[in-house]
Each structure stands twice: as C-alpha cells, then as structure tokens.
C-alpha cells in the first residue's frame, strides 16, 4: 500500500525553465509534507516543507503547493539550474497511535539540460 | 556540526554472514530512524527510536533484523543471517521532536550480499 506516490520516475527540463514535480497521497492523517533532494552516493537532504494548514510555502527558487482536497502536492523550481539535477523525494508525516510516521514516495529523477 | 555519521560506507558480505551497520546521530537529536532504499520499494522506514527507546519497529522485515540504541550517540542495525535480498542502501537519520522538523540523513551504507 503506497501511501505517497510520485508517478513520474523521471523528468527532463531545460535550464532556466520551470521544473514541476508532483506527489499524491492517500492518508488524510498526514499533516506535514516535505521535499528532499538526493545526489548519488549521498543521503537525502531536506529542501522545503509545508504544513497541512497552508496551501503554499516559498523559499527562494523553490515553492511547494498543497491541494488538500485533491491530496496532491507539487514542488516548483524556478528557474531550474544544472545543480538541481538530482532525485527528489516527497515525504508525508503523521502521528499515528503515538508514533511518528514519515512515508516517502518512490522519487523522481530530475535532469536539467543546459 | 558533523551531521549524521554512518559506517561502513560499503559492505560486501556472503549470504549467511552477520552484518552490523552503525550510526552516530547529530548531538541533541532525540529521534533516530533507520531507512532502507531499494529500487523496488524506494525509501522505507525500518524502525525508529525516541530517547534511545524503540517506538515503532513495524517496518523491520524479519526477525533476522534487529536494531539497538544503547545511548544517545550510537545505534546499530544488525542482520543475521544476511541474504541476497537484503542488498540495499541503508540510511540512518536523526531529528529533534517537532513534527515540522526535517530528518537529517547520513550518507548511507551500501550493502551487497552475495
């Protein structure tokens, strides 16, 4: 049962354009959503997060949008840069029966073409 | 801040051998997580600790897997006996208690069981 889904395993974008990465979830108990970025041979690093009480959070070139009714969130990167090429993981957090649950999607490999 | 430190970075072992993975969390973090990354299942939570106490081990695949946290600065994940299907990258992560706080990941241990 995949509670967090990233349906696009890969995405290719021209440098300078907008990159949009998508994520869908099924559990309405999730109340925090996070995006992580991962380079080869390194651990995931935190990028940006959003609380379920908000619909948008912006940090520099990165903006996360949350649509609770659709159980969908997206990460926008504008403008895209070559250094943004990495695997991006969406994650959702819930407190269930006293235990923190942080569930990750499968990841989307983003390639920025010069 | 040295970040989360994992050792070894790579481990190659034969089926049936015992494998021990090690993790030193960030000082002051009271949560520690063990994740496993595979192509098929992405990043999946194995177990997590709060103040050195295991809280949720429902993700531990089998009795062959065990994890300990004898003190706030050290944790181990042991597989005994190891099997080829255990081959994966194992990540340790730590965080402070705050539902919005991100996890900080180590660089992982790539385990290959032949």
């Amino acid at each position: 049962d995949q509670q967090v889904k990233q349906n696009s395993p890969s995405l290719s974008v021209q440098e300078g354009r907008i990159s949009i990465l998508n994520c869908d979830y099924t559990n309405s108990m999730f109340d925090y959503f996070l995006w992580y970025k991962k380079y080869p041979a390194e651990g995931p690093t935190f990028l940006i997060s959003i609380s379920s009480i908000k619909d948008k959070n912006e940090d520099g070139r990165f903006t996360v949008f949350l649509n609770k009714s659709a159980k969908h969130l997206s990460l926008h990167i504008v403008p895209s840069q070559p250094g943004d090429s990495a695997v991006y993981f969406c994650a959702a957090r819930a407190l269930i029966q006293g235990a923190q649950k942080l569930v990750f999607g499968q990841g989307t490999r983003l390639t920025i073409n010069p | 801040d040295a970040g989360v430190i994992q050792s070894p970075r790579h481990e190659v072992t034969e089926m049936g051998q015992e494998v021990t993975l090690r993790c030193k969390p960030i000082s002051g973090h009271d949560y520690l997580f063990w994740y496993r990354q595979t192509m098929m299942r992405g990043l999946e939570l194995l177990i997590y600790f709060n103040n050195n106490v295991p809280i949720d081990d429902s993700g531990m695949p089998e009795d062959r897997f065990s994890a300990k946290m004898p003190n706030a600065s050290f944790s181990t994940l042991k597989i005994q006996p190891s099997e080829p299907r255990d081959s994966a990258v194992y990540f340790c992560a730590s965080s402070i208690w705050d539902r919005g706080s991100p996890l900080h990941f180590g660089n992982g241990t790539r385990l290959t069981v032949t």
Side-chain angles (χ1 to χ4, degrees):
Chain A
D1 176 25
Q2 191 70 19
Q3 296 187 61
V4 178
K5 292 183 182 180
Q6 293 176 255
N7 292 317
S8 299
S10 63
L11 177 67
S12 187
V13 174
Q14 200 75 19
E15 181 179 0
R17 306 294 288 269
I18 183 171
S19 295
I20 301 176
L21 297 105
N22 294 303
C23 178
D24 297 296
Y25 62 96
T26 57
N27 191 335
S28 57
M29 293 186 70
F30 291 136
D31 63 355
Y32 248 99
F33 302 89
L34 305 93
W35 284 93
Y36 283 81
K37 176 180 179 180
K38 185 183 180 304
Y39 293 119
E42 294 183 10
T45 55
F46 171 70
L47 196 56
I48 191 169
S49 65
I50 188 168
S51 163
S52 60
I53 62 173
K54 295 187 176 181
D55 55 17
K56 178 182 175 181
N57 187 29
E58 191 172 350
D59 183 3
R61 297 185 297 115
F62 302 92
T63 303
V64 56
F65 294 92
L66 176 62
N67 182 333
K68 282 186 67 176
S69 61
K71 292 190 173 68
H72 177 84
L73 66 156
S74 60
L75 174 68
H76 293 210
I77 306 174
V78 182
S80 301
Q81 299 175 353
D84 297 330
S85 295
V87 176
Y88 289 78
F89 289 97
C90 166
R93 178 177 291 187
L95 191 63
I96 300 173
Q97 295 180 333
Q100 270 198 72
K101 295 286 188 183
L102 184 64
V103 182
F104 283 83
Q106 298 284 79
T108 297
R109 181 178 301 279
L110 175 66
T111 302
I112 306 300
N113 301 308
Chain B
D1 185 350
V4 176
I5 299 172
Q6 290 186 247
S7 63
R9 286 301 309 271
H10 302 274
E11 177 78 47
V12 180
T13 190
E14 291 184 348
M15 182 173 64
Q17 296 297 307
E18 177 180 297
V19 175
T20 299
L21 312 181
R22 296 173 176 79
C23 175
K24 176 179 168 53
I26 293 173
S27 176
H29 283 191
D30 51 2
Y31 280 81
L32 183 139
F33 302 79
W34 283 101
Y35 279 84
R36 177 170 69 174
Q37 184 187 14
T38 61
M39 289 294 291
M40 292 295 292
R41 301 175 68 90
L43 270 169
E44 53 179 340
L45 176 66
L46 300 177
I47 185 172
Y48 82 88
F49 296 82
N50 175 217
N51 291 322
N52 314 337
V53 176
I55 302 300
D56 183 0
D57 65 355
S58 60
M60 295 285 262
E62 300 169 31
D63 290 345
R64 298 184 296 107
F65 285 69
S66 63
K68 293 182 180 179
M69 192 165 185
N71 56 62
S73 58
F74 184 66
S75 176
T76 59
L77 178 67
K78 186 177 292 186
I79 308 172
Q80 165 64 15
S82 58
E83 296 182 2
R85 61 191 165 127
D86 302 330
S87 297
V89 181
Y90 291 81
F91 288 102
C92 175
S94 69
S95 76
I96 59 172
W97 168 240
D98 183 324
R99 214 174 299 176
S101 291
L103 272 60
H104 297 262
F105 283 82
N107 284 332
T109 295
R110 179 175 293 279
L111 174 65
T112 303
V113 183
T114 60

